[in-house]
Amino acid sequence: MALIIPRNYKLKLLPETTEEAIKTLKVSFQDKLKKKLNLRRVTAPLFVLSGTGINDDLSGKEAPVSFNIKCMGKRAEVVHSLAKWKRMKLGAYGISPGYGIYTDMNAIRCDEDLDNLHSLYVDQWDWEQVITEKERNLDSLKEVVNKLYSIIKELEMEVYESFPHITPFLPENITFINSEELLQLYPDCTPKEREAKITKKYGAVFIIGIGSNLSNGEPHDGRAPDYDDWVTINSDGYRGLNGDIMLWNPILDIPFELSSMGIRVDKVALKSQLEIKGCPERAGLSFHKMLLNDELPLSIGGGIGQSRLCMYLLQKAHIGEVQASIWPEEQIAECLKHNIQLL
């Protein structure tokens, strides 16, 4: 995505006020997330050992930042996200169904193209909740999505109460649509174009089924084969127990992905997805063996971008207005010309 400069962009909060607002939003969100989903906070790793299968592969194309551990003679890599690590923690702590954990996840994604939404530095709330076999269904997924959306709506009103000139624009409810349904609605559009059309229409959308091939032979978007379940056929006849929360961003006039989440693979889905992706050998890795041996609980989980949430609710034009990172000099200069002050 190329850098977007909104027309007549006005700074709604000074940088020092923005810093206070960020702190308030982060504290409030964590408190609400903990209560809505019965979660407790845990400490997360910045890096994990290479070759264990614990790190996430995201779409399968991103290379992790890695380094040698001199005293151990092993190699470690900075986490991309913590989907599999969290599930292992649920098992290690013996957490009961209906309860779970969340953590502050910090990552470096060196393959990102830097623009309004993408940074080398990723900060998100990673959360994971234990579920039962009966809860591995679309209704349970939607119930959790609705809870998360209600938190976002509550925060939007809190921002308005503190800064009345930042007026809310999110719809009352989030709309659900499967990626296959979306393809049928807009068959001549690319996935990104389909996202833009549906998100602009409804304001807030959860697109279900990210990873499996659609009727046109292509996936809506890439997903790794070993955390979200994107192969199971639901009661509606479509595949996928995962998805993305998409909000329409009127500042940038684009769809805005806030969260990727889903019900996690059971051992049947894991085997199937490894075969589909052509990597059945991963079944021999530590995490995968634990799952296939029924040593890990069934779960649902996801990640919610901290900087993205702050950027959206404070109506900022660039993620660099709410986080400190590295940006190309020309991008910094171009932003500054249009009153976009990067931290």
Side-chain angles (χ1 to χ4, degrees), residues 125-163:
W125 289 287
D126 254 322
W127 63 273
E128 200 83 8
Q129 183 191 69
V130 178
I131 61 174
T132 64
E133 180 65 40
K134 291 182 179 179
E135 292 174 305
R136 294 194 80 257
N137 58 61
L138 198 55
D139 287 340
S140 295
L141 176 65
K142 289 181 177 180
E143 181 181 354
V144 174
V145 172
N146 280 323
K147 287 180 179 179
L148 293 175
Y149 187 68
S150 70
I151 296 173
I152 298 167
K153 284 284 294 177
E154 289 172 18
L155 287 177
E156 185 183 45
M157 287 307 300
E158 288 180 10
V159 170
Y160 174 65
E161 289 167 4
S162 298
F163 310 105

Side-chain angles (χ1 to χ4, degrees), residues 86 126-129 228 259-264 299-303:
K86 289 177 298 178
D126 254 322
W127 63 273
E128 200 83 8
Q129 183 191 69
D228 284 348
S259 174
S260 176
M261 58 168 288
I263 291 174
R264 307 309 196 185
S299 67
I300 181 173

Side-chain angles (χ1 to χ4, degrees), residues 282-297:
R282 285 196 197 177
L285 297 173
S286 301
F287 169 85
H288 304 70
K289 285 195 290 188
M290 292 178 70
L291 180 54
L292 294 171
N293 291 333
D294 296 315
E295 297 173 14
L296 297 176

Side-chain angles (χ1 to χ4, degrees), residues 4-262:
I4 299 172
I5 301 295
R7 294 183 64 184
N8 302 318
Y9 179 68
K10 294 181 180 179
L11 197 64
K12 295 187 177 181
L13 294 176
L14 294 172
E16 56 269 30
T17 309
T18 297
E19 295 279 17
E20 285 298 314
I22 291 169
K23 184 182 88 169
T24 301
L25 279 174
K26 289 187 175 184
V27 170
S28 182
F29 181 88
Q30 290 181 76
D31 187 55
K32 294 176 189 298
L33 179 69
K34 176 177 64 177
K35 292 176 181 176
K36 291 269 187 182
L37 297 184
N38 299 320
L39 309 176
R40 61 185 171 100
R41 189 188 181 283
V42 298
T43 300
L46 178 59
F47 40 81
V48 295
L49 287 175
S50 301
T52 59
I54 298 174
N55 203 0
D56 295 330
D57 296 311
L58 303 176
S59 69
K61 300 175 182 177
E62 298 86 351
V65 175
S66 60
F67 58 92
N68 292 320
I69 306 173
K70 184 178 180 181
C71 66
M72 294 175 61
K74 294 185 178 181
R75 194 159 181 82
E77 54 194 42
V78 176
V79 296
H80 272 150
S81 81
L82 296 169
K84 289 177 278 187
W85 178 88
K86 289 177 298 178
R87 194 167 178 183
M88 293 174 69
K89 283 299 176 185
L90 292 178
Y93 292 151
I95 295 177
S96 301
Y99 296 87
I101 59 175
Y102 81 94
T103 190
D104 288 297
M105 192 282 296
N106 295 286
I108 301 170
R109 296 182 182 171
C110 57
D111 290 333
E112 291 283 14
D113 293 322
L114 306 181
D115 52 37
N116 300 70
L117 306 185
H118 299 93
S119 171
L120 297 174
Y121 170 62
V122 178
D123 56 342
Q124 65 182 33
W125 289 287
D126 254 322
W127 63 273
E128 200 83 8
Q129 183 191 69
V130 178
I131 61 174
T132 64
E133 180 65 40
K134 291 182 179 179
E135 292 174 305
R136 294 194 80 257
N137 58 61
L138 198 55
D139 287 340
S140 295
L141 176 65
K142 289 181 177 180
E143 181 181 354
V144 174
V145 172
N146 280 323
K147 287 180 179 179
L148 293 175
Y149 187 68
S150 70
I151 296 173
I152 298 167
K153 284 284 294 177
E154 289 172 18
L155 287 177
E156 185 183 45
M157 287 307 300
E158 288 180 10
V159 170
Y160 174 65
E161 289 167 4
S162 298
F163 310 105
H165 60 293
I166 302 180
T167 53
F169 42 59
L170 283 172
E172 191 61 32
N173 300 300
I174 190 168
T175 298
F176 294 89
I177 188 167
N178 190 277
S179 54
E180 179 62 40
E181 294 178 285
L182 192 55
L183 172 62
Q184 300 306 318
L185 273 177
Y186 308 111
D188 298 324
C189 295
T190 67
K192 293 303 179 187
E193 289 169 344
R194 296 196 290 270
E195 286 180 356
K197 286 181 178 293
I198 200 70
T199 309
K200 188 170 187 176
K201 180 178 181 180
Y202 290 107
V205 180
F206 186 75
I207 301 175
I208 304 165
I210 310 289
S212 61
N213 282 352
L214 305 177
S215 58
N216 65 354
E218 300 175 356
H220 180 80
D221 200 357
R223 281 295 184 277
D226 41 17
Y227 52 99
D228 284 348
D229 183 337
W230 40 259
V231 75
T232 294
I233 299 177
N234 303 311
S235 56
D236 59 6
Y238 297 115
R239 291 189 184 276
L241 288 172
N242 70 335
D244 292 341
I245 295 177
M246 307 290 299
L247 309 176
W248 184 252
N249 188 320
I251 306 299
L252 300 175
D253 202 35
I254 58 170
F256 188 92
E257 181 187 328
L258 184 61
S259 174
S260 176
M261 58 168 288

